[in-house]
Amino acid sequence: MLIGKVIGNIVSNAKVSELKPMKLYILQVYDYSFSPTERYEVVVDGVGAGIGDYVLFCGGSAARLLKLTEAGVPIDMAIIARIDDFNKLKKD
Amino acid sequence: MIIGEIIGTVVSTIKVSKMEQARLKIVKIINPFGKPTGKYFIVEDGVGVGVGEKVLISDDDGVVKRLLGKDNVPIRSAIVAKIDKINIYD
């Protein structure tokens, strides 16, 4: 699983039918010391996250195990948790 | 999923039989701010989008199996949506 921050969303009317009810968010991927990287991903929202939220997301077949994506939805990444708080161990 | 822009199509008459109905497009991969990442993919077109359009690509082998409804199709990624608008708030 990776950490990401929701920075935007994608509007699409012409898409594969299974994707109809899905919200498509743009994430900026953060590394484990919670600093932003240059990597961006588009994911399906599985938990009702909002813009500006920090989230956990997973890829590959794991993304298709959600109740939301059980019907074999052709996606490869999905948000599975919203991060409320985190504590970073200081490396001194 | 990643964002791409369709820059061309691929036509092939002699190919693996499982790829019969595949409609192949050449896609330039860009980041959400439109900056090209230097990568290019040849993908199955699951939606039917024209050249020059921005699309969303699912980059995972399980995807094409669902789109074409056939197992072990030798294509890895596929277009799953045509992008109408990209909103960046943050």
Side-chain angles (χ1 to χ4, degrees), chain A residues 23-37:
Chain A
K23 266 194 295 190
L24 296 165
Y25 277 136
I26 302 174
L27 297 186
Q28 180 167 14
V29 180
Y30 276 56
D31 61 18
Y32 291 119
S33 62
F34 264 84
S35 45
T37 63

Side-chain angles (χ1 to χ4, degrees), chain A residues 6-77:
Chain A
V6 180
I7 63 167
N9 66 338
I10 283 202
V11 175
S12 164
N13 298 322
K15 51 190 174 181
V16 169
S17 57
E18 294 95 345
L19 274 180
K20 283 276 185 297
M22 305 270 168
K23 266 194 295 190
L24 296 165
Y25 277 136
I26 302 174
L27 297 186
Q28 180 167 14
V29 180
Y30 276 56
D31 61 18
Y32 291 119
S33 62
F34 264 84
S35 45
T37 63
E38 268 311 301
R39 185 175 156 209
Y40 298 92
E41 292 289 345
V42 177
V43 298
V44 159
D45 177 18
V47 294
I51 302 286
D53 279 352
Y54 287 95
V55 292
L56 284 182
F57 66 99
C58 66
S61 53
R64 289 190 292 279
L65 298 177
L66 293 170
K67 193 124 227 31
L68 196 68
T69 58
E70 237 163 21
V73 178
I75 58 149
D76 59 354
M77 283 205 170

Side-chain angles (χ1 to χ4, degrees), chain B:
Chain B
M1 283 158 293
I2 45 182
I3 300 172
E5 200 181 304
I6 296 183
I7 58 169
T9 62
V10 171
V11 177
S12 157
T13 48
I14 300 172
K15 53 193 173 191
V16 172
S17 66
K18 289 274 183 182
M19 284 176 70
E20 272 324 317
Q21 303 124 334
R23 300 167 295 186
L24 299 174
K25 296 278 166 62
I26 308 174
V27 177
K28 180 174 74 171
I29 305 300
I30 55 176
N31 72 5
F33 302 96
K35 190 165 82 72
T37 61
K39 277 197 288 188
Y40 294 84
F41 276 12
I42 292 185
V43 295
E44 153 65 14
D45 187 350
V47 175
V49 191
V51 176
E53 297 279 354
K54 286 202 172 78
V55 287
L56 210 55
I57 297 145
S58 258
D59 188 18
D60 184 277
D61 51 10
V63 169
V64 181
K65 212 171 9 181
R66 283 183 186 77
L67 279 183
L68 291 180
K70 283 187 290 191
D71 269 346
N72 45 53
V73 177
I75 306 173
R76 187 181 124 121
S77 15
I79 294 171
V80 288
K82 178 171 96 74
I83 293 181
D84 295 319
K85 200 164 180 314
I86 298 180
N87 302 324
I88 304 278
Y89 298 105
D90 209 279

